[in-house]
């Protein structure tokens, strides 16, 4: 077992937050940069919050983004199983070892008893309950009870947990690759539960044991785990194991930079926060995929949330990210979640995407509406419209000019631009292009210019009226591009319809 080994270890308790996706990506990039191994481990020890389909969601999300685990619950590996619920016996063995060495102890306090003590402290306006070297002497545990009493309680089946025995006065020091040296006094730490009364380990024990047994060399995780790191360092010392290098990634912040990004913020501002759609009760919460984002755009976006290789370049493919990624370039401060930047990335990848591929999706969207379109026309529409949209789904609404004739005309434009001069030019243009079906944009433009020259009219006097007659609107895609796609006959018919419909509204 040599080289860099990192892991992404999510809990299957709900949808995968985009912050978790970034953690997975940074671990993946770091592993691939160093020719190492990226492991997916499912930390499913929280039975109360376990969601059966969440693991598949995690796997599907990473697969959509191109983050492929070298080892994990799907493809296995030398250190299987990769679900903590299937490794239960391993953890109890290590918890008992700590108890035997006096580094952990049995605690028999019930949840009700602990709550009563909390309320007493609250009423006395004292500090909140910390189960530590000071308070543990008032509790029911193997440090305050006799050995016989402890054994009798265990033999009788009385529930207990195993807590770590934190030293009272000790300096815990470790180096974080993002934040430098971190120093914490042990007196500020709780005697955290390592093994719960149901025999399942807590995160603190399970992740330490698994990281050691799986040969994890670097633990790259979110900043929210930084307060737990000193406890983990103590556990490594207790087991006399070499701790991995730690790197705690900066928080993802709200768009305004004030506070941690949450699902509520995403709902408030109307942007996705999960990679894929998630069913929250009866409510479907749209993910980035269902919102129309390309996976490469999402990857590019989240890679630059809290990391930057330096320089002006912003567009990076996966291979470039692997080549450039270093922990040293990860920022300490939180990263604002700017959805407009995500949109910008998506526009870029839409712009360089194969037009025939986009056109196939447009055809599918058209057929879903009960309409039909030729493949060649769909490609032309993509070429005309793609620079005006952020998502492929926005193409069809802009393409409605191809399927629908105007049923009304913009009143404001009619009152200002529907002049007799414009109508005369439009009528002659309609006559000339009526049988002109396969012309290019330049052909149609040449015909229009010829009519304008003949009638001695400036183009600006006619173009708004020409657009109005074809689409009924004041703005839209390139006008000559639309005319070319529609063909001379349909253009002619629309112009004549507008002339007839607006005959009583012509202005001098």
């Amino acid at each position: 077992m040599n080289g860099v080994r990192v892991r992404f270890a999510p809990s299957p308790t709900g949808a995968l937050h985009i912050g978790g996706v970034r953690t997975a990506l940074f671990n993946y990039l770091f592993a691939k940069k160093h020719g190492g191994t990226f492991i997916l481990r499912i930390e499913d020890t929280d039975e109360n919050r376990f969601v059966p389909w969440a693991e598949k969601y995690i796997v599907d999300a990473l697969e959509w983004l191109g983050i492929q685990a070298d080892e994990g619950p799907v493809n296995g590996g030398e250190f299987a199983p990769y679900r903590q619920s299937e490794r239960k016996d391993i953890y109890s063995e290590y918890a008992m070892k700590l108890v035997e060495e006096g580094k952990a102890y049995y605690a028999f306090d019930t949840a009700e008893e602990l709550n009563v003590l909390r309320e007493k402290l609250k009423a006395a306006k004292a500090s909140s309950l910390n189960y530590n070297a000071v308070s543990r002497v008032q509790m029911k545990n193997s440090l305050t009870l006799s050995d016989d009493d402890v054994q009798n309680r265990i033999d009788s089946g009385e529930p207990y947990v195993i807590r770590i025995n934190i030293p009272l006065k000790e300096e815990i020091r470790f180096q974080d690759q993002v934040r430098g040296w971190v120093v914490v006094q042990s007196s500020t730490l709780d005697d955290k539960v390592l093994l719960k009364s149901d025999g399942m380990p807590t995160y603190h024990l399970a992740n330490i044991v698994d990281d050691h047994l799986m040969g994890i060399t670097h633990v790259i995780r979110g900043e929210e785990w930084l307060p737990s790191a000193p406890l983990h360092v103590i556990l490594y010392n207790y087991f006399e194991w070499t701790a991995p290098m730690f790197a705690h990634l900066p928080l993802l912040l709200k768009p305004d930079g004030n506070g941690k990004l949450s699902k509520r913020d995403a709902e408030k501002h109307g942007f996705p926060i999960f990679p894929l759609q998630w069913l929250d009760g009866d409510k479907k919460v749209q993910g980035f995929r269902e919102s129309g984002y390309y996976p490469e755009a999402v990857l590019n976006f989240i890679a630059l949330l809290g990391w930057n290789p330096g320089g002006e370049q912003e567009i990076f493919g996966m291979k470039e990210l692997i080549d450039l990624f270093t922990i040293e370039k990860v920022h300490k401060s939180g990263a604002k979640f700017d959805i407009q930047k995500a949109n910008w990335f998506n526009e870029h990848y839409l712009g360089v995407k194969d037009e025939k591929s986009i056109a196939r999706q447009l055809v599918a969207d058209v057929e879903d509406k009960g309409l039909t379109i030729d493949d060649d026309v769909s490609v032309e529409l993509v070429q005309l419209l793609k620079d005006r949209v952020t998502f492929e789904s926005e193409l069809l609404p802009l393409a409605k000019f191809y399927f629908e004739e105007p049923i009304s005309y913009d009143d404001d434009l009619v009152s200002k631009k529907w002049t007799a001069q414009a109508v005369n030019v439009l009528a002659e243009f309609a006559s000339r292009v009526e049988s002109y079906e396969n012309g290019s944009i330049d052909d149609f433009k040449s015909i229009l210019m010829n009519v304008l020259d003949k009638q001695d009219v400036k183009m600006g006097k006619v173009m708004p009226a020409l657009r109005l007659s074809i689409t009924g609107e004041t703005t839209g895609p390139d006008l000559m591009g639309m005319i070319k796609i529609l063909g001379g006959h349909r253009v002619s018919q629309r112009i004549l319809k507008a002339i007839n419909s607006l005959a009583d509204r012509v202005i001098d």
Side-chain angles (χ1 to χ4, degrees):
M1 187 168 55
N2 298 311
V4 167
R5 290 177 61 82
V6 298
R7 51 51 168 195
F8 175 56
S11 298
T13 54
L16 181 60
H17 187 281
I18 199 65
V21 176
R22 184 192 63 171
T23 298
L25 175 62
F26 282 15
N27 274 278
Y28 178 82
L29 296 177
F30 185 78
K32 298 308 159 185
K33 171 68 177 287
H34 296 282
T37 302
F38 170 67
I39 298 165
L40 174 63
R41 189 173 71 222
I42 302 299
E43 301 200 338
D44 55 348
T45 58
D46 190 341
E47 294 179 316
N48 294 327
R49 298 174 59 216
F50 175 72
V51 178
W53 55 88
E55 180 185 322
K56 185 177 186 307
Y57 178 93
I58 292 166
V59 172
D60 289 348
L62 296 182
E63 182 178 329
W64 178 63
L65 291 163
I67 302 173
Q68 180 64 51
D70 299 302
E71 300 174 18
V74 174
N75 51 344
E78 181 181 354
F79 301 95
Y82 292 91
R83 296 183 186 91
Q84 288 187 336
S85 60
E86 300 171 5
R87 301 169 62 86
K88 181 177 177 181
D89 293 341
I90 297 174
Y91 309 121
S92 58
E93 173 190 340
Y94 284 97
M96 292 306 301
K97 183 177 187 295
L98 292 178
V99 172
E100 292 168 2
E101 295 175 353
K103 298 170 182 174
Y105 57 92
Y106 300 108
F108 299 95
D109 315 276
T110 66
E112 292 76 14
E113 289 170 335
L114 292 175
N115 283 333
V116 168
L117 184 55
R118 286 190 185 94
E119 290 303 316
K120 286 182 178 179
L121 290 170
K122 184 178 179 181
K125 296 183 179 180
S127 60
S128 59
L129 175 64
N130 289 323
Y131 208 121
N132 57 23
V134 175
S135 63
R136 72 169 77 111
V137 297
Q138 307 172 49
M139 310 297 189
K140 293 191 305 184
N141 54 63
S142 57
L143 300 180
T144 60
L145 302 171
S146 68
D147 291 345
D148 288 343
D149 192 357
V150 170
Q151 193 60 52
N152 288 336
R153 288 172 183 268
I154 293 174
D155 291 343
S156 67
E158 182 175 340
Y160 64 84
V161 299
I162 292 179
R163 291 179 178 272
I164 186 172
N165 188 346
I166 296 289
L168 178 58
K169 293 181 179 180
E170 189 173 301
E171 186 177 80
I172 296 93
R173 298 170 58 86
F174 66 94
Q175 190 170 28
D176 186 280
Q177 289 189 291
V178 174
R179 298 163 195 286
W181 282 100
V182 178
V183 181
V184 175
Q185 297 300 320
S186 64
S187 57
T188 64
L189 304 178
D190 286 0
D191 290 355
K192 295 293 186 185
V193 173
L194 301 180
L195 203 69
K196 294 179 282 188
S197 59
D198 60 3
M200 292 296 283
T202 61
Y203 170 84
H204 304 297
L205 176 64
N207 98 89
I208 294 298
V209 171
D210 284 344
D211 283 351
H212 172 71
L213 295 181
M214 294 181 181
I216 300 303
T217 60
H218 297 75
V219 171
I220 304 170
R221 59 189 178 185
E223 181 181 321
E224 63 270 21
W225 292 111
L226 185 59
S228 299
L231 169 64
H232 300 165
V233 170
I234 291 175
L235 278 170
Y236 276 108
N237 291 337
Y238 277 4
F239 285 122
E240 298 181 349
W241 295 337
T242 300
M245 292 295 298
F246 291 100
H248 289 87
L249 307 177
L251 293 175
L252 296 189
L253 304 178
K254 300 177 183 182
D256 62 7
N258 295 317
K260 184 179 178 181
L261 180 70
S262 68
K263 187 175 76 170
R264 182 176 298 177
D265 298 313
E267 292 174 348
K268 176 182 177 181
H269 295 283
F271 57 74
I273 200 172
F274 304 138
L276 311 181
Q277 180 176 275
W278 178 256
L279 188 62
D280 187 4
D282 296 330
K283 180 182 177 183
K284 288 183 178 178
V285 181
Q286 291 288 89
F288 275 88
R289 182 178 65 182
E290 291 72 27
S291 298
Y293 291 87
Y294 295 126
E296 53 266 45
V298 177
L299 277 177
N300 206 149
F301 170 58
I302 63 175
L304 297 178
L305 290 174
W307 171 83
N308 193 296
E312 300 298 319
Q313 182 179 346
E314 294 186 280
I315 303 300
F316 300 98
M318 183 69 89
K319 186 179 184 306
E320 287 179 294
L321 289 173
I322 291 171
D323 291 342
L324 293 169
F325 186 79
T326 62
I327 292 293
E328 290 74 21
K329 294 291 186 178
V330 174
H331 305 159
K332 293 181 182 179
S333 57
K336 291 183 183 179
F337 191 87
D338 181 3
I339 197 64
Q340 296 306 318
K341 194 66 177 181
N343 293 346
W344 180 84
F345 279 115
N346 212 69
E347 288 171 4
H348 166 80
Y349 285 101
L350 175 61
V352 298
K353 190 176 178 66
D354 177 60
E355 291 173 348
K356 290 184 179 179
S357 173
I358 301 173
R360 284 193 291 272
Q361 182 58 51
L362 177 59
V363 169
D365 293 343
V366 167
E367 291 175 347
D368 284 345
K369 298 292 185 181
L371 303 170
T372 59
I373 187 174
D374 291 338
D375 290 343
D376 290 344
V377 173
S378 68
V379 173
E380 288 186 288
L381 285 170
V382 168
Q383 292 170 340
L384 176 67
L385 303 173
K386 71 174 185 175
D387 289 342
R388 301 177 63 86
V389 301
T390 300
F391 307 105
E392 289 186 13
S393 60
E394 295 172 335
L395 289 169
L396 183 55
L398 282 183
K400 71 176 184 178
F401 76 89
Y402 181 80
F403 304 99
E404 303 173 9
E405 291 186 357
I407 56 176
S408 62
Y409 302 91
D410 184 90
D411 285 336
D412 186 57
L413 186 61
V414 170
S415 66
K416 295 177 180 178
K417 300 295 183 179
W418 197 252
T419 65
Q421 188 181 55
V423 169
N424 289 336
V425 172
L426 295 185
E428 184 172 349
F429 180 69
S431 174
R432 292 204 189 183
V433 302
E434 199 277 335
S435 60
Y436 208 86
E437 285 302 298
N438 297 313
S440 66
I441 289 177
D442 288 339
D443 291 334
F444 285 108
K445 187 179 293 186
S446 178
I447 294 172
L448 178 60
M449 292 300 298
N450 186 271
V451 174
L452 289 169
D453 288 343
K454 178 183 175 183
Q455 296 193 24
D456 194 24
V457 178
K458 299 291 186 182
M459 183 176 287
K461 299 290 186 180
V462 175
M463 293 300 281
L466 179 56
R467 180 180 293 278
L468 183 77
S469 67
I470 293 172
T471 68
E473 300 174 350
T474 60
T475 61
D478 177 71
L479 181 55
M480 287 300 157
M482 288 194 292
I483 290 173
K484 191 267 181 189
I485 293 173
L486 287 168
H489 178 72
R490 294 177 71 188
V491 168
S492 178
Q493 293 299 306
R494 293 189 184 193
I495 291 173
L496 295 177
K497 177 184 175 182
I499 290 173
N500 291 331
S501 299
L502 301 173
D504 60 345
R505 299 190 62 182
V506 178
I507 58 178
D508 294 333

